Amino acid sequence: MTHDQLLTVMQHTPLPERMGNFERTRSPQQPEETESGLLFVEYSHLSEDVKFQAVMQGEQAQFQVVLHGTATPVRQLTVEEAGHVLRSDLLMMLEDLEDEL
């Protein structure tokens, strides 16, 4: 999947600047190539060393949590499914992550 296709899939997915104690640090408009794929969504906790990320790997997207620099996969789905899940469940996923801290 190309960056343009990613933007098309994610165009109706609202990604607020801040949700609870998390701040958006990466969006589909400004993805970053990483070792594990194209990082297209990232929220960083404001006071803890933890991040929630969505990484594109071909046609798949992986949600992962990065704690103290170590990534732990949480869920893998298609990029289209990832857009739907981010629209409906992002706040809940971030709240659950914070509860685990």
Side-chain angles (χ1 to χ4, degrees), residues 46-73:
L46 296 172
S47 61
E48 301 287 336
D49 185 14
V50 65
K51 297 175 184 176
F52 170 82
Q53 298 178 331
V55 179
M56 184 173 71
Q57 303 163 330
E59 300 295 320
Q60 296 292 308
Q62 177 173 284
F63 292 160
Q64 61 187 23
V65 173
V66 179
L67 180 61
H68 304 296
T70 302
T72 303

Side-chain angles (χ1 to χ4, degrees), residues 27-80:
S27 70
Q29 291 76 20
Q30 301 166 325
E32 177 184 350
E33 192 65 46
T34 66
E35 292 176 11
S36 56
L38 188 66
L39 174 63
F40 67 96
V41 172
E42 180 179 72
Y43 279 86
S44 296
H45 196 276
L46 296 172
S47 61
E48 301 287 336
D49 185 14
V50 65
K51 297 175 184 176
F52 170 82
Q53 298 178 331
V55 179
M56 184 173 71
Q57 303 163 330
E59 300 295 320
Q60 296 292 308
Q62 177 173 284
F63 292 160
Q64 61 187 23
V65 173
V66 179
L67 180 61
H68 304 296
T70 302
T72 303
V74 175
R75 191 170 179 189
Q76 188 156 358
L77 15 75
T78 67
V79 175
E80 290 84 4

